[in-house]
Amino acid sequence: MPATLLEVFSLNGCWELSQTCSTDRVPAEVPGTVMSDLIRAGRVEDPYYRDNEARAQWVGAKDWTFSRAFTLTGALRKRQKILLRCEGLDTFATIRLNGQTVGRTDNMFRTWEFEVGGLLETDNTIEIAFDSVLPYMAEKTAERKLAAWNEYRGLYGRAYVRKQPCNFGWDWGPDLISYGIWRDISIVAYDLARLSDLLILQDHRPDGRVALSLRVATESVTTSALSARCELKRKGRSVGSCEFDLPSGHGEGGITVAAPELWWPAGMGEQPLYELTVSLLDANREEIDRTTRRIGLRTLRLERRPDQWGESFHFSANGVPFFAKGANWIPVEAFTSPGDKDRTRRLLEDAAEVHMNMIRVWGGGYYPHDHFFDACDELGLCVWQDFMYACSTYPVWDPAFVENGRLEAIDNVRRIRHHASLALWCGNNEIEQGMNGGQWPESMPWEDYKRFFDGTLGKVVSETDPQRDYWPSSAHTPGENRGNHNDPTRGDAHLWNVWFSHTPFEWYHTCEHRFNSEFGFQSFPELRTVESFTEPRDHNITSPVMEWHQKSPPGNSMIFHQMLDWFRLPVDFETTLRVSQIVQGLAIQYGVEHWRRSMPRGMGTLYWQLNDCWPVTSWASIDGYGRWKALHYMAKRFFSPVIISGVEDRAKGTVEIDLTSDLLHEDGGHVRWQVFTPEGGTLDSGELNVSISPRRNTRLTTLDLSGFLREHGPDRVILFLDLATGAGHTSRSVVLFVRPKKIEWVNPELRASIVRDGDTFAVTIEAQAPALWTWLELTGTDCRFSDNFLHLRPDNPTTVTARPAAPICLADFRSQLRVRSLRDTYVQP
Ligand code: BMA
């Protein structure tokens, strides 16, 4: 009988869910989660609404069973090898097929396969029973307690379980423990053999050609000859192919691309992607299995070399060092869901739109789905990928735990490693920081830590993904002395003093770290998002419901501490939400502009955090419903390829002006500076023609404004800096000599004129006096603006493009448009 192609019979779709040992069933969607099925069935009330989270706690304490029936053809059942393949089971699962137990699992991050050939009939039933993880956590904790930062309901045991850490709650996320079949599940059936591994290595030759070596491995049930046929295509056209034998199931071939189109991170060039197809052939050269990978031709490395400041820490693409600009990524849903493809894509597009070129997937969530990496490949967003260990000690003294973690790492490295965007594997989040702080080494000795995070995981990366760099922890300071992290001369740093220690934003200016992979400041989401989880009576920052949606214990007091340092008390609840966003944006802008100015000593900054997993007060720049906070608009300006920034010296009355460029080529530009009074009178102005050096910071000049400050007072001097470059980049910076609350801002009499252009509206705003953080919004419709929270000069009408989320006519747009600025936040209308 001629062999045929490997067959995949999907078991995704409609299942039934019940509590284990109960006959009361509700429909279930697979892939999915217990929590989402119960919500859909009306058994759990929307846990994001008010404090409903408290009433959903029982779900995590119960055992749950998913079941379904399915029918197979006789042809499939006759295949030589038949496997049940589960790509994600969360977490302690027992799998039964036609009443027989086929296996048990204990790691939601692994792919599990079980031989089921002998068990299958024409009509079959499958049951997957998930045990609550809580009894196991309690039992293990009684044996040995794991020191951790995020204590869960008095239990310290979450790190005993290979389950998404933040599913137990985090300082931005709800505690909604859920279980389920969270990734694809299928029956895989084949004859002879199947492809089991494909490693693609790239050699970028000095003559510009790229040689790909393709290492293929198979699993086979035959001793007959096998071979592989590989073809590389670009936009559907073949650019190279090869065929080779697979003696004992393994083999290696090569394709050389003579004129490669190189893949670049966003802002450095294009993201051309090639499609590689590998076919497995039997002795008759019939195709029996096939796999495809979309790849980009590039080198992408972490460069660490001794330099004048210590040791470099920067990424380079195709040999060109670049400054990493980006943010940290958390799961997009509070309970692990596969249905987040569109939201994931939108969030990543929003990251690319504000000139980010790197995303760090933080180690307290899960290894993202393939569509996450596909989008990053297309958008040029490099990925710093943590392994999923965060903020806790782990039982790495236990050989079974270590082996489980090793297999988990191999599964995920193999799944993800071909992606052009993948820049770095990192062992964990902040465990070294915890180890430096107190009792953690008593819970997990350093030797055990190093054996797993340096040794086991490092070895998986060097063997399984040999062209990718590995970094043991974030934050990590390299060197023998692990009693240290956040060293400013080497390694990456997490710089949290402004948030956790009430330190003024100016503290960032004292940080000379090489790469800052976390720092952040919280804000409230906008009113529309708050309304989604509250009743009007909850509309007070310290109401129980607003505090429920603030998971960082010191959170609100931190926001208010800095808000009141900078701004006058906002007039009402809604304005307070907005002012908190301006404070957040300002905090991050202080840090980012400083670190960009410090290049090439500092070569990257990733703020905490890009996104939210539910409606909450948090460090995110995009809220749980995808709405941009002020920070995200501000990021579009402070991450833009060329920026002008000014730093005031209050004692001397001077301003240092810098131009920072990430461009690959020199650009010419024009700088205009103008000193205003709050009423909009001009005290002084000047212009300069400048040349902007590529990939570096240039100190342009120091302006001496001491005379004006003495004559008019520091509360009456407002400096606007404007840059326009030959290549069309613009940047504006405003420098004050006192906190904005000290200035008597006058009514800027903001006027907006609107022109409709299809689905978008061009809004031109004019101000009669300096109007800081001017923001636009529509009262009845979500709307994305090309720019927002901007500083307006009196003599300078500014046009932004508005794209409402739903179609809206000009008259409605006009009546819904609200334009406000700083003064409106504290002056009653
Ligand atoms: C960092 C992160 C997260 C946390 C955030 C805010 O430590 O790694 O664990 O949510 O700070 O506290």
Side-chain angles (χ1 to χ4, degrees):
M1 192 180 73
T4 45
L5 208 55
L6 172 141
E7 207 172 331
V8 177
F9 180 88
S10 174
L11 292 172
N12 289 351
C14 301
W15 289 55
E16 287 187 321
L17 169 67
S18 64
Q19 275 191 44
T20 300
C21 301
S22 159
T23 51
D24 178 19
R25 290 163 189 229
V26 298
E29 257 178 36
V30 169
T33 70
V34 168
M35 194 65 84
S36 24
D37 293 331
L38 294 176
I39 294 168
R40 245 191 319 273
R43 303 294 174 93
V44 167
E45 270 191 78
D46 174 8
Y48 296 173
Y49 188 67
R50 302 192 81 235
D51 58 354
N52 281 353
E53 179 194 345
R55 283 171 293 282
Q57 296 302 302
W58 62 276
V59 176
K62 302 288 182 204
D63 303 334
W64 297 94
T65 296
F66 288 83
S67 58
R68 69 165 284 175
F70 60 97
T71 305
L72 293 176
T73 61
L76 186 143
R77 288 194 293 122
K78 289 201 195 85
R79 306 296 292 252
Q80 291 173 12
K81 189 91 164 183
I82 306 180
L83 301 168
L84 172 67
R85 178 176 168 86
C86 311
E87 296 180 31
L89 298 177
D90 176 8
T91 291
F92 292 155
T94 304
I95 301 131
R96 275 181 226 102
L97 200 55
N98 297 330
Q100 299 232 34
T101 300
V102 298
R104 291 199 163 80
T105 72
D106 60 359
N107 186 333
M108 75 173 274
F109 304 121
R110 282 174 60 186
T111 292
W112 300 87
E113 289 187 336
F114 307 97
E115 282 213 46
V116 292
L119 296 176
L120 290 168
E121 311 285 339
T122 304
D123 294 314
N124 304 276
T125 54
I126 181 169
E127 273 184 0
I128 304 187
F130 292 90
D131 290 344
S132 168
V133 295
L134 298 181
Y136 181 77
M137 285 163 57
E139 186 190 311
K140 296 303 282 184
T141 301
E143 279 171 27
R144 181 161 166 174
K145 193 166 121 181
L146 295 173
W149 286 336
N150 302 76
E151 175 190 353
Y152 167 72
R153 296 186 211 166
L155 285 175
Y156 281 82
R158 71 157 168 84
Y160 279 110
V161 187
R162 292 309 294 145
K163 175 172 172 61
Q164 179 184 194
C166 66
N167 197 211
F168 299 95
W170 214 261
D171 58 2
W172 36 257
D175 158 9
L176 289 171
I177 298 180
S178 184
Y179 308 108
I181 307 166
W182 70 289
R183 279 187 164 144
D184 293 342
I185 179 165
S186 57
I187 304 266
V188 177
Y190 61 93
D191 300 313
L192 305 180
R194 66 164 173 171
L195 293 165
S196 60
D197 197 25
L198 167 63
L199 173 64
I200 306 161
L201 298 174
Q202 302 188 8
D203 180 12
H204 289 243
R205 303 261 168 86
D207 63 6
R209 293 182 306 159
V210 175
L212 298 180
S213 80
L214 312 168
R215 291 189 194 161
V216 171
T218 62
E219 280 165 10
S220 83
V221 286
T222 174
T223 50
S224 69
L226 297 169
S227 60
R229 182 172 58 218
C230 308
E231 177 158 41
L232 186 69
K233 288 184 175 172
R234 167 84 182 120
K235 289 187 175 162
R237 301 218 347 228
S238 181
V239 292
S241 61
C242 65
E243 285 197 29
F244 48 93
D245 290 337
L246 301 170
S248 46
H250 294 261
E252 182 167 346
I255 295 176
T256 297
V257 186
E261 294 174 60
L262 295 184
W263 184 95
W264 291 94
M268 296 178 83
E270 301 294 313
Q271 290 78 42
L273 295 167
Y274 290 74
E275 191 168 86
L276 176 73
T277 305
V278 176
S279 300
L280 178 62
L281 310 177
D282 68 7
N284 302 320
R285 313 191 60 68
E286 292 292 329
E287 186 179 50
I288 55 172
D289 193 5
R290 181 193 308 160
T291 187
T292 59
R293 300 280 189 282
R294 215 172 47 154
I295 61 169
L297 305 180
R298 88 286 174 272
T299 62
L300 184 55
R301 302 304 302 231
L302 170 63
E303 309 265 3
R304 293 171 48 214
R305 297 201 195 95
D307 66 8
Q308 65 195 105
W309 301 286
E311 184 181 289
S312 68
F313 191 104
H314 68 253
F315 291 88
S316 69
N318 303 318
V320 182
F322 65 95
F323 188 98
K325 299 179 289 193
N328 284 267
W329 177 271
I330 63 162
V332 297
E333 295 271 7
F335 22 95
T336 321
S337 147
D340 58 15
K341 191 170 176 180
D342 293 345
R343 285 175 58 182
T344 298
R345 174 84 203 187
R346 273 199 302 278
L347 283 166
L348 292 169
E349 284 173 357
D350 290 349
E353 189 178 334
V354 304
H355 312 289
M356 292 186 185
N357 58 20
M358 184 170 282
I359 297 289
R360 170 173 173 244
V361 179
W362 164 80
Y366 57 87
Y367 306 90
H369 301 283
D370 297 340
H371 57 73
F372 170 92
F373 294 98
D374 287 340
C376 289
D377 290 347
E378 289 165 21
L379 295 164
L381 292 168
C382 300
V383 180
W384 169 315
Q385 177 67 52
D386 284 3
F387 287 101
M388 293 300 130
Y389 302 87
C391 302
S392 175
T393 56
Y394 283 84
V396 287
W397 58 83
D398 173 1
F401 183 91
V402 167
E403 181 60 5
N404 200 356
R406 191 181 74 84
L407 295 172
E408 162 193 326
I410 292 173
D411 273 1
N412 286 284
V413 172
R414 281 187 174 168
R415 179 171 66 87
I416 294 167
R417 66 186 170 191
H418 64 280
H419 284 280
S421 53
L422 183 63
L424 184 72
W425 288 104
C426 171
N428 66 68
N429 176 71
E430 291 189 346
I431 297 184
E432 296 194 5
Q433 195 165 321
M435 294 288 277
N436 290 330
Q439 270 89 54
W440 285 31
E442 288 161 35
S443 175
M444 173 178 66
W446 271 110
E447 297 69 56
D448 291 336
Y449 170 89
K450 288 186 199 166
R451 207 177 314 113
F452 184 70
F453 288 103
D454 297 0
T456 307
L457 294 183
K459 192 156 174 262
V460 167
V461 174
S462 65
E463 289 177 355
T464 317
D465 194 7
Q467 295 188 323
R468 203 89 47 174
D469 293 287
Y470 175 71
W471 189 242
S473 180
S474 184
H476 168 71
T477 295
E480 274 316 294
N481 177 13
R482 285 293 173 86
N484 187 16
H485 65 277
N486 282 359
D487 184 320
T489 70
R490 63 200 68 230
D492 72 321
H494 289 192
L495 299 171
W496 277 102
N497 289 36
V498 165
W499 175 256
F500 283 106
S501 309
H502 285 123
T503 314
F505 300 165
E506 285 83 354
W507 175 79
Y508 291 129
H509 292 177
T510 67
C511 299
E512 300 297 341
H513 299 74
R514 312 307 304 267
F515 193 105
N516 160 33
S517 39
E518 269 192 29
F519 75 114
F521 196 88
Q522 279 199 349
S523 71
F524 300 107
E526 67 177 76
L527 185 63
R528 205 170 271 136
T529 294
V530 168
E531 280 172 343
S532 77
F533 65 85
T534 53
E535 292 178 2
R537 65 188 159 113
D538 305 319
H539 291 182
N540 182 302
I541 297 295
T542 48
S543 71
V545 169
M546 285 301 290
E547 290 196 343
W548 190 274
H549 287 246
Q550 162 59 281
K551 299 294 189 186
S552 173
N556 286 352
S557 69
M558 296 296 183
I559 295 174
F560 271 81
H561 173 83
Q562 301 286 4
M563 184 193 285
L564 299 182
D565 183 34
W566 283 82
F567 296 106
R568 299 191 193 186
L569 193 64
V571 280
D572 56 21
F573 178 71
E574 186 203 347
T575 319
T576 305
L577 306 179
R578 282 299 190 194
V579 176
S580 79
Q581 296 188 358
I582 294 171
V583 181
Q584 176 193 30
L586 195 59
I588 306 306
Q589 181 189 334
Y590 253 78
V592 169
E593 287 182 352
H594 169 71
W595 287 307
R596 290 191 64 188
R597 283 191 296 263
S598 78
M599 74 194 286
R601 177 179 173 139
M603 282 299 279
T605 178
L606 311 175
Y607 66 72
W608 184 266
Q609 68 205 64
L610 181 73
N611 58 315
D612 269 332
C613 61
W614 74 314
V616 68
T617 303
S618 87
W619 299 266
S621 63
I622 302 177
D623 79 21
Y625 294 127
R627 299 183 172 117
W628 287 21
K629 292 175 165 181
L631 167 58
H632 209 73
Y633 284 108
M634 288 155 86
K636 192 170 180 180
R637 297 196 296 269
F638 61 61
F639 277 151
S640 81
V642 188
I643 56 167
I644 188 165
S645 60
V647 178
E648 71 283 4
D649 182 325
R650 291 183 189 177
K652 292 190 191 141
T654 55
V655 180
E656 283 177 352
I657 303 174
D658 286 65
L659 300 176
T660 317
S661 171
D662 292 331
L663 299 177
L664 300 182
H665 305 288
E666 181 156 337
D667 195 1
H670 184 79
V671 170
R672 174 188 157 101
W673 53 272
Q674 199 164 357
V675 185
F676 291 101
T677 64
E679 295 77 23
T682 301
L683 297 178
D684 196 16
S685 66
E687 300 187 39
L688 278 174
N689 286 325
V690 293
S691 75
I692 306 161
S693 303
R695 294 193 291 115
R696 59 171 296 188
N697 183 72
T698 310
R699 170 71 40 81
L700 187 61
T701 185
T702 302
L703 280 183
D704 184 354
L705 301 180
S706 56
F708 299 109
L709 291 161
R710 266 196 307 278
E711 190 180 335
H712 301 274
D715 58 337
R716 296 194 45 78
V717 173
I718 301 155
L719 173 67
F720 273 67
L721 302 168
D722 278 288
L723 167 72
T725 81
H729 300 281
T730 58
S731 173
R732 169 172 290 175
S733 176
V734 170
V735 180
L736 305 177
F737 289 85
V738 290
R739 296 292 197 234
K741 69 182 179 185
K742 303 271 191 203
I743 296 177
E744 291 301 341
W745 301 95
V746 302
N747 185 348
E749 295 179 34
L750 296 169
R751 276 211 315 270
S753 52
I754 306 161
V755 178
R756 182 178 186 161
D757 178 11
D759 292 340
T760 65
F761 297 83
V763 185
T764 303
I765 327 158
E766 277 184 81
Q768 303 307 312
L772 268 53
W773 294 288
T774 303
W775 83 96
L776 297 78
E777 62 190 8
L778 297 186
T779 50
T781 317
D782 272 314
C783 187
R784 187 65 60 77
F785 297 92
S786 58
D787 198 357
N788 215 349
F789 296 90
L790 26 96
H791 299 317
L792 296 180
R793 276 190 345 221
D795 53 355
N796 183 230
T798 301
T799 302
V800 302
T801 307
R803 185 179 296 277
I808 177 172
C809 69
L810 181 61
D812 286 350
F813 185 92
R814 183 168 284 123
S815 70
Q816 286 192 27
L817 181 69
R818 274 215 291 180
V819 185
R820 286 177 287 174
S821 73
L822 178 58
R823 188 172 179 276
D824 302 302
T825 67
Y826 60 87
V827 174
Q828 291 287 354

